[in-house]
């Protein structure tokens, strides 16, 4: 814990961390808030699901593009413009008639206008702290983002049930704008300028370490989302238990991130963390007792945040400054696509084989994630501990 306390004592770091976390809380609210609102207005879960899916599609396509634009346009104008457009799209969804075409179109716009805050923040980190503090900062970021997925759904549900489904959308819009303004107004960032990328769009993906990070992120998030489907299917009819089980996994990730994320794990550490995820996921699928399932899910979560933090450090070590936002935007896209495909695959298998099918899919995906760094290492050297800025 001392590494984090020392980090937060550095001028401006606590404010930046709190501001970017606040601005990203609506990401934990969006899917549920939109699902509840569109279903309430249209009476169709199919339409509601379609709108939510298109939000992810819009974000996955646009994030690398808007991230790259932070170079030529400036990070703060890009972030504020995206936040304003995102806010407007959410408010339009509140007032638009329940026409399928209008709601589906707004779903794409809402996703495409998500501010590229995560890529910007992670591209800036190496410029804000000394190199020996970077693993701790990435770990703090990755661990703290678990709060987004704990707080967001709770807030969305409480507002939708206690006030109206519109209230959760309005809250998401307001929090996004206020969080973005708070972030860009930080004095620590006043003189920081992200360089314009001179490389061909997408060229950085050809770098071995970046490609490995994309694959590992894709598989890891796909495994987690498949695991969520398995949990929901296993506790069918007991939604509270399902929520508790998912929360236990998030708590495990919080603990793992705080305990291990600040260390320079390197390639072996990434593999070890991913193996913990795979073992915990597999045990959750074969455990019959409630307490054993919760223990297995906690174990699975332990490796999640440290693995992601180590992946981000590895990418930061090799990517050029002018390509950093674009690369982290692509990593965000890989996670979104992985989550969507993991959910879809587990849903299909749950229909045909019950919860066992979803747990099996989650386990296979987690094992593949654990093997991916080793396979990549056999194919050639993987950078991550030396600051070789050659991707871009």
């Amino acid at each position: 814990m001392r590494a984090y306390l020392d980090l937060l004592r550095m001028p401006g770091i606590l404010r930046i961390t709190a501001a970017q976390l606040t601005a990203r809380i609506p990401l934990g609210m969006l899917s549920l808030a939109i699902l509840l609102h569109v279903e309430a207005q249209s009476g169709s879960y199919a339409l509601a699901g379609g709108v939510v899916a298109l939000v992810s599609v819009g974000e996955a396509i646009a994030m690398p593009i808007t991230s790259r634009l932070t170079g030529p346009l400036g990070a703060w104008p890009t972030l504020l413009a995206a936040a304003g457009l995102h806010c407007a799209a959410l408010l339009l969804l509140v007032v638009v008639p329940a026409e399928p075409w209008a709601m589906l179109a707004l779903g794409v716009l809402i996703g495409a206008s998500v501010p590229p805050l995560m890529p910007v923040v992670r591209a800036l980190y190496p410029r804000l702290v000394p190199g020996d503090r970077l693993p701790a900062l990435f770990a703090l970021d990755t661990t703290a983002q678990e709060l987004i997925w704990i707080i967001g759904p709770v807030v969305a549900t409480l507002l939708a049930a206690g006030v109206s489904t519109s209230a959760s959308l309005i809250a998401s819009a307001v929090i996004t704008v206020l969080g973005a303004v708070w972030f860009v107004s930080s004095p620590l960032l006043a003189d920081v300028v992200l360089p314009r990328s001179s490389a061909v769009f997408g060229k950085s993906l050809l770098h071995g370490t970046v490609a490995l990070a994309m694959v590992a992120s894709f598989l890891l998030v796909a495994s987690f989302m498949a695991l969520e489907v398995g949990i929901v299917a296993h506790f069918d009819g007991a939604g509270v238990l399902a929520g508790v089980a998912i929360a236990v996994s998030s708590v495990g990730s919080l603990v793992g991130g705080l305990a291990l994320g600040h260390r320079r794990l390197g390639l072996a550490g990434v593999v070890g963390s991913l193996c913990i995820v795979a073992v915990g996921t597999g045990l959750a699928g074969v455990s019959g007792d409630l307490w054993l399932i919760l223990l297995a899910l906690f174990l699975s979560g332990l490796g999640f945040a440290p693995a992601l933090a180590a992946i981000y450090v590895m990418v930061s070590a090799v990517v050029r400054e002018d390509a950093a936002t674009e690369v982290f935007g692509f990593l965000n896209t890989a996670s979104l696509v992985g989550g969507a495909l993991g959910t879809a695959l587990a849903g299909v298998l749950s229909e045909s084989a019950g919860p066992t099918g979803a747990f099996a899919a989650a386990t296979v995906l987690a094992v593949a994630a654990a093997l991916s760094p080793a396979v990549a290492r056999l194919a050639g050297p993987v950078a991550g501990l030396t600051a070789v800025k050659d991707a871009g």
Side-chain angles (χ1 to χ4, degrees):
M1 291 296 293
R2 182 174 180 178
Y4 300 110
L5 293 176
D6 291 342
L7 184 67
L8 292 176
R9 290 192 186 104
M10 296 180 65
I13 295 299
L14 178 59
R15 172 173 174 168
I16 286 176
T17 302
Q20 61 97 2
L21 182 65
T22 299
R24 289 162 58 195
I25 282 178
L27 295 180
M29 301 172 60
L30 272 184
S31 294
L32 188 55
I34 292 172
L35 185 73
L36 293 172
H37 180 76
V38 174
E39 192 282 327
Q41 297 300 308
S42 67
S44 170
Y45 275 109
L47 176 59
V51 175
V52 171
L54 287 178
V55 170
S56 295
V57 170
E59 184 180 356
I61 293 173
M63 188 61 71
I65 300 172
T66 55
S67 299
R68 185 182 173 97
L69 288 175
T70 58
L73 300 182
W76 319 145
T78 304
L79 287 171
L80 293 179
L85 182 59
H86 187 72
C87 176
L90 285 170
L91 296 179
L92 278 174
L93 187 60
V94 171
V95 300
V96 73
E99 293 288 342
W101 67 268
M103 289 185 162
L104 292 170
L106 283 173
V108 176
L109 181 59
I110 289 169
S113 59
V114 169
L117 192 64
M118 185 274 283
V120 168
V121 167
R122 289 171 181 167
L124 286 173
Y125 281 164
R127 306 175 67 177
L128 300 180
V129 299
D132 60 341
R133 299 282 181 90
L134 190 58
L137 185 52
F138 272 114
L140 181 65
D141 176 279
T142 306
T143 303
Q145 76 176 5
E146 292 293 339
L147 297 175
I148 295 172
W149 310 110
I150 295 173
I151 296 172
V154 173
V155 173
T157 303
L158 289 176
L159 287 175
V163 184
S164 69
T165 57
S166 299
S168 57
L169 294 177
I170 294 171
S172 294
V174 172
I175 293 171
T176 297
V177 172
L178 293 180
V181 171
W182 186 18
F183 176 77
V184 302
S185 63
S186 172
L188 188 62
L189 305 179
D191 299 324
V192 176
V193 177
L194 292 172
R196 180 195 300 262
S197 177
S198 58
V200 176
F201 180 71
K203 181 183 176 182
S204 55
L205 299 181
L206 300 177
H207 189 279
T209 301
V210 176
L212 165 61
M214 291 276 290
V215 172
S217 298
F218 170 88
L219 292 170
L220 181 60
V221 176
S223 170
F224 179 77
M225 296 306 295
L227 179 62
E228 279 201 349
V229 174
I231 292 170
V232 172
H234 179 81
F235 292 106
D236 184 32
V240 174
L241 283 177
V244 169
I246 293 171
V248 165
S249 179
S250 295
V251 170
S253 185
L254 281 168
V255 172
L258 292 174
L260 300 173
H262 64 285
R263 303 180 183 275
R264 284 193 174 273
L265 299 179
L267 189 62
V270 174
V271 173
S273 298
L274 292 172
C275 284
I276 293 174
V277 175
V279 170
T281 302
L283 290 176
V286 298
S287 300
D289 181 78
L290 172 62
W291 293 107
L292 290 178
I293 292 176
L294 295 179
L295 182 61
L297 291 173
F298 180 82
L299 176 63
S300 175
L302 279 177
F304 193 88
L308 279 182
I311 287 170
Y312 296 145
V313 171
M314 289 172 61
V315 171
S316 179
V318 301
V319 69
R320 290 202 324 242
E321 286 186 354
D322 64 339
T325 52
E326 179 187 325
V327 168
F328 282 111
F330 274 116
L331 283 177
N332 188 72
T333 293
S335 297
L336 286 168
V337 175
L341 292 181
T343 301
L345 175 62
V348 171
L349 292 175
S350 292
E351 288 290 333
S352 60
T356 302
F359 280 119
T363 303
V364 170
L365 289 166
V367 170
L371 291 175
S372 61
V375 172
R377 183 66 182 85
L378 291 175
V382 178
L385 297 178
T386 56
V388 182
K389 306 290 185 178
D390 58 352

